[in-house]
Amino acid sequence: MYKSESLSIKCLALGLCLSLGNGLSATKAYAFDPASGVSKESGPFDLFKFGFFSYKEGRKEDAVEAYRYAAEKGHTGSRWALANMYADGDGVAENDLEAFKIYSAIANQGVEPGSDDTGFFANALIALAGYYRRGIPDSPVKIDLAQARQLYFQAASTFGVPDAQFELARMILTGEGGAANVHQAKKWLNRAQKNGHAGAMGLLGNVIFQEGQTARGLAMMTTALDNCAPSDRGWLEEMQEQAFSLASEKDRRAAVTMTQQMKQGVN
C-alpha cells in the first residue's frame, strides 16, 4: 500500500480546490439530481466543483462519479482528485495501479508555465516517484530508482517543492538511483529546510553532526523534532536521541542554547 509522501504539495493543490469551491451553493442535492443543476453533460469545471462539494459533504460516491465525468473531459484537477482517492482507498477500493495510471496521464500531458494545473502536475510527479521507488506488487510497475530520482529532481528543481527536495536529498545521500554525493544532498536538504521542511532540517543536522559540527547538528535535530509532522516524529526522535547520547556534556549545553535561538528564528 502506497501513501503519498507529498503532503505539502497536496495541500497546495487542495488550496486551489478550496478557492474554486468558495462560490458553491450550500444547497444539498444528490449527484445529478435536478436540484443540483449539474448533469453528466455539464462542463468539466462545473462537474469538478460539484465533485469537490460532494466530497466535502461526505458524499464520496457522488464525488467519484462527478470527478470521473470531468476527468473524461480532460479536467486535470478531477484526475488528480480521483488518483488520490484510489491511492488512499478513500471512497473507492484502494488501487495503486489505477492511481499510477491517472498520475501518469497528468504527468504526460505536461503543464503550461504559470498554469493553475501546476500544483496537480507537481503532485503527480512526486506520487509517481514514490511508486517507482517502491514498485507496485503484482503489477507491471517495478522498482526503478533512477526514474524515481529523476522525477524528484524535476519536482525539486522546476517547482521548488520541499517534499521533493527532501526525498531527492535522501536518495542522493544514500546513493539510491545513482551516485551518492553528500555535498549535493546537503544542498537539497538546505533548500528544503529553508522552505520549512522540518525533516530536511533534522537530516541535515544529522549529516553535519557526523561531520563534526556536533552542537549545531544536535540543535538542528532538536529544533526539527519540535516542529515536525507527526509522520516524521519516529525517525527524527530516534536520530536525535542517538546523537544526544554521543554528544559531550559541553556540546549538549551549547546545543540547548542554539536550539533556543533556532526556535526564535522558526517562530
Side-chain angles (χ1 to χ4, degrees):
M1 178 175 65
Y2 169 70
K3 299 298 181 185
S4 174
E5 299 161 323
S6 52
L7 293 179
S8 66
I9 192 63
K10 274 193 173 182
C11 289
L12 172 66
L14 181 59
L16 174 61
C17 293
L18 289 170
S19 67
L20 296 176
N22 285 337
L24 291 174
S25 168
T27 303
K28 293 187 178 180
Y30 291 102
F32 309 143
D33 140 338
S36 72
V38 177
S39 72
K40 63 182 181 180
E41 284 79 29
S42 296
F45 185 68
D46 288 333
L47 285 162
F48 171 64
K49 289 194 296 182
F50 182 86
F52 177 67
F53 182 73
S54 297
Y55 185 91
K56 285 179 64 179
E57 291 289 299
R59 294 182 286 110
K60 295 182 181 180
E61 289 184 4
D62 294 348
V64 168
E65 185 177 7
Y67 285 149
R68 280 177 176 154
Y69 281 118
E72 288 172 2
K73 298 180 182 186
H75 192 269
T76 304
S78 295
R79 288 177 173 173
W80 171 83
L82 266 180
N84 290 339
M85 293 178 81
Y86 277 117
D88 297 335
D90 183 14
V92 292
E94 185 175 318
N95 190 326
D96 284 317
L97 183 57
E98 186 64 25
F100 176 88
K101 290 177 181 177
I102 300 172
Y103 286 131
S104 294
I106 295 171
N108 289 336
Q109 77 182 22
V111 65
E112 292 293 329
S115 166
D116 288 340
D117 291 339
T118 297
F120 305 127
F121 178 76
N123 175 265
L125 294 179
I126 295 171
L128 289 171
Y131 281 125
Y132 279 120
R133 199 173 183 183
R134 296 165 178 80
I136 300 176
D138 303 317
S139 85
V141 182
K142 307 303 180 185
I143 293 174
D144 187 338
L145 296 179
Q147 179 70 355
R149 185 157 158 171
Q150 179 57 38
L151 288 165
Y152 281 136
F153 176 78
Q154 186 179 353
S157 59
T158 304
F159 302 104
V161 181
D163 285 317
Q165 293 169 341
F166 172 64
E167 296 299 338
L168 175 63
R170 288 176 63 190
M171 295 192 78
I172 295 174
L173 192 62
T174 59
E176 284 185 89
N181 188 317
V182 176
H183 177 74
Q184 285 297 314
K186 287 168 66 176
K187 180 189 79 171
W188 287 111
L189 286 172
N190 191 47
R191 288 188 185 183
Q193 68 102 10
K194 284 183 176 180
N195 286 325
H197 198 294
M201 173 184 254
L203 186 55
L204 180 58
N206 187 56
V207 172
I208 68 171
F209 179 91
Q210 294 181 37
E211 290 178 337
Q213 298 184 55
T214 308
R216 181 167 182 78
L218 181 57
M220 290 178 70
M221 284 182 268
T222 304
T223 303
L225 187 58
D226 289 342
N227 293 280
C228 70
S231 58
D232 288 330
R233 176 162 294 278
W235 67 268
L236 275 172
E237 192 169 45
E238 181 179 357
M239 191 171 66
Q240 190 268 354
E241 288 177 352
Q242 183 179 18
F244 186 84
S245 69
L246 295 173
S248 67
E249 186 60 33
K250 178 181 177 181
D251 284 333
R252 290 176 184 175
R253 287 197 296 268
V256 169
T257 300
M258 289 184 186
T259 299
Q260 293 303 318
Q261 294 170 346
M262 289 178 184
K263 284 182 179 179
Q264 292 173 3
V266 170
N267 296 332

